[in-house]
Amino acid sequence: MAVYRRSTRHRFLLVLLVLTSITVITLDVRGGGGGAMESVRRAARDAFAPVQSAADDVISPVDDFFGGLFRYGHLKAENARLRRQLADARGKANGASSADRERDELLALQKLTFAGDVPAVAARVVATSPSNFQLTVEIDKGLPTGIQKGMPVVTGAGLVGRVVAVSQERATILLLTDPAFNVGIRLSGSGDVGVARGNGVRQPLPVDLVDVGTKVTGGEVVETSGLQGSVFPPGIPVGKVRAAKVQPGSLQQEVSIDPLVDLSRLDFVKVLIWQPKADTP
Amino acid sequence: MNNARAKVPLILLIFLVVELTVLDHLRVFGAGPDIMLLLAVVAGIVGGPRVGALYGFAAGIVLDLFLETPMGLSALVFCIVGYAVGSIQGGVLRAAWWIPVVTTFVASVAGVLAYALTATVVGQPGLVTPHLFVVAAVVGVFNAVVSPFALRLVRWAVADIERAERAYA
């Protein structure tokens, strides 16, 4: 009897916890990213930010050590290559002082080649996603710098993703390879538009809605289209066409693109302080 | 009992810090370990269905704070996993060393699959793909390998609760 009562009690607890979870899920999904859940999340992330920074300081040397251990052969080859390059560089170094000055000037002038009129906040990537089911990174800038949900994130090479959560100290960026990511694109060759969507880690992005008659060449660069109501400003490079083919009887071409940015090695990114025009009809 | 109550947040914090700072760098075939799920499984093995469900819920809700998936999703899946493991494993008192390891592997794989299915039900796109099985395998193997350490840690935390429960019963 005692055993029976105990297991009933356990089952009651389970039901209670399950119902609590479902209530919280419902609140969060129905709340649409605002409300109580959002503020709890923000508070937790801000509270955790110093812990994360401290832990990262301790871990990164260890991380580098193990990284080196596993890639010993690669490092050895790289070392040999670097020695050769060093020898070359020594030869050139004497005439390099003027080049140095030029380089400094170029660095001072350095700007994004696209979206030049949009203000941007530079930030450092401090963490990647703890989950296997979302492709995100965290950056070390938050609300005080003007970052808002939905803003585009780029590197010098092109589009990285968009901001999906911001707290005081941190912002979370959904990478363009995440299955929940969509972006309106324009093919640079033909000017035809389509929609690219994420398809998972290290997978090319399929592009929908490209007309059968459009001529698509391999390696062609695609950019954000910036059409009305788009969440991105026009002209940000997104990727290069990997393959394009037309299935018989299909109404659209099967186009896939590779992202221009190496998403596995993100270090510094820029958040464009840009919000879609609200007055779209 | 007071002592045990203090240990629960401590264990949660240790696992969370490791998950968010160390393990997010570790990626094998594009998949990383999930030690919050491991915590739920191990708590079930050590403490039975009640402790498994409670630890699973707590671990899940804490992890959810740092994810963009709907809040409570991990809590839901992890508390069921903890409860299930506890119910199955609860009767085994002094098992061979490999039984918890195998249990952890199976439960972790099942947990990952259950998470992807539940997330799909609440509207997360693109989770049920061939890559899901890679993720499940990576999580399963990693969790199984580190389960002896986690077992020792959780046993230390749960010991007081068990003693109190035995006195209560």
Side-chain angles (χ1 to χ4, degrees), chain B residues 54-110:
Chain B
L54 279 172
Y55 261 87
F57 182 82
I61 207 94
V62 169
L63 179 62
D64 276 333
L65 288 171
F66 297 89
L67 300 180
E68 296 311 312
T69 41
M71 185 94 184
L73 195 57
S74 311
L76 173 65
V77 175
F78 292 4
C79 86
I80 294 175
V81 168
Y83 182 88
V85 170
S87 306
I88 295 164
Q89 183 88 14
V92 190
L93 277 178
R94 287 198 59 83
W97 66 270
W98 53 269
I99 289 183
V101 176
V102 173
T103 310
T104 309
F105 176 78
V106 174
S108 299
V109 168

Side-chain angles (χ1 to χ4, degrees), chain A residues 68-249:
Chain A
L69 210 61
F70 289 130
R71 292 181 300 130
Y72 176 73
H74 174 77
L75 284 182
K76 210 170 159 187
E78 190 174 24
N79 199 358
R81 187 172 54 78
L82 288 175
R83 275 174 201 279
R84 278 200 301 280
Q85 283 183 1
L86 183 63
D88 286 352
R90 284 222 176 96
K92 290 174 190 159
N94 293 335
S97 59
S98 66
D100 254 0
R101 187 177 42 76
E102 271 176 24
R103 189 208 56 176
D104 286 349
E105 280 173 8
L106 276 174
L107 277 178
L109 284 173
Q110 185 228 27
K111 264 192 210 156
L112 295 177
T113 51
F114 46 88
D117 51 343
V118 182
V121 175
R124 186 163 188 197
V125 173
V126 287
T128 54
S129 167
S131 163
N132 284 310
F133 296 112
Q134 70 176 35
L135 303 173
T136 58
V137 292
E138 268 189 37
I139 56 171
D140 63 352
K141 295 281 163 61
L143 288 167
T145 54
I147 297 175
Q148 294 288 328
K149 241 184 188 180
M151 287 179 170
V153 181
V154 300
T155 67
L159 188 68
V160 171
R162 71 164 190 275
V163 178
V164 285
V166 214
S167 64
Q168 290 295 320
E169 315 251 344
R170 293 278 191 269
T172 307
I173 298 159
L174 188 72
L175 300 178
L176 72 159
T177 43
D178 188 282
F181 190 95
N182 287 301
V183 53
I185 55 103
R186 185 189 297 279
L187 294 155
S188 60
S190 59
D192 198 17
V193 294
V195 176
R197 56 185 157 85
N199 199 24
V201 62
R202 273 184 261 151
Q203 297 292 316
L205 286 73
V207 181
D208 293 328
L209 310 176
V210 176
D211 198 71
V212 178
T214 309
K215 190 174 175 297
V216 185
T217 48
E220 184 179 341
V221 172
V222 303
E223 301 176 332
T224 51
S225 64
L227 292 178
Q228 273 188 326
S230 167
V231 279
F232 297 102
I236 302 175
V238 178
K240 274 186 175 168
V241 173
R242 179 196 184 105
K245 65 170 180 233
V246 185
Q247 296 285 7

Side-chain angles (χ1 to χ4, degrees), chain A residues 6-7 9-11 13-14 17-22 24-26 28-29 37 40-42 44-45 48 51-53 55-56 59 63 126-134 136 138 149 164-165 172 174 178-180 199 201-202, chain B residues 13 16-17 19-22 24-25 27-34 49-51 53-54 57 61 63-73 75-76 79-80 83 112 115-116 122 125-127 131-132 135 139 165 168-169:
Chain A
R6 251 181 92 131
S7 78
R9 209 159 42 118
H10 292 164
R11 223 165 285 155
L13 175 79
L14 178 71
L17 291 177
V18 166
L19 288 180
T20 312
S21 308
I22 291 173
V24 173
I25 293 173
T26 314
D28 196 24
V29 173
M37 293 299 154
V40 173
R41 266 195 177 137
R42 278 185 186 175
R45 284 173 196 191
F48 197 74
V51 181
Q52 201 171 36
S53 307
D56 269 347
I59 289 154
D63 204 31
V126 287
T128 54
S129 167
S131 163
N132 284 310
F133 296 112
Q134 70 176 35
T136 58
E138 268 189 37
K149 241 184 188 180
V164 285
T172 307
L174 188 72
D178 188 282
N199 199 24
V201 62
R202 273 184 261 151
Chain B
L13 191 68
L16 183 72
V17 169
E19 169 97 1
L20 293 184
T21 57
V22 186
D24 67 333
H25 297 287
R27 283 282 180 274
V28 183
F29 306 121
D34 187 345
R50 200 179 80 92
V51 174
L54 279 172
F57 182 82
I61 207 94
L63 179 62
D64 276 333
L65 288 171
F66 297 89
L67 300 180
E68 296 311 312
T69 41
M71 185 94 184
L73 195 57
L76 173 65
C79 86
I80 294 175
Y83 182 88
V112 170
Y115 182 90
V122 298
L127 295 188
H131 184 65
L132 174 62
V135 173
V139 172
E165 280 221 324
Y168 175 76

Side-chain angles (χ1 to χ4, degrees), chain B residues 15 42 145-154:
Chain B
F15 273 73
V42 168
V145 168
V146 297
S147 62
F149 303 99
L151 272 171
R152 198 160 291 178
L153 205 61
V154 174

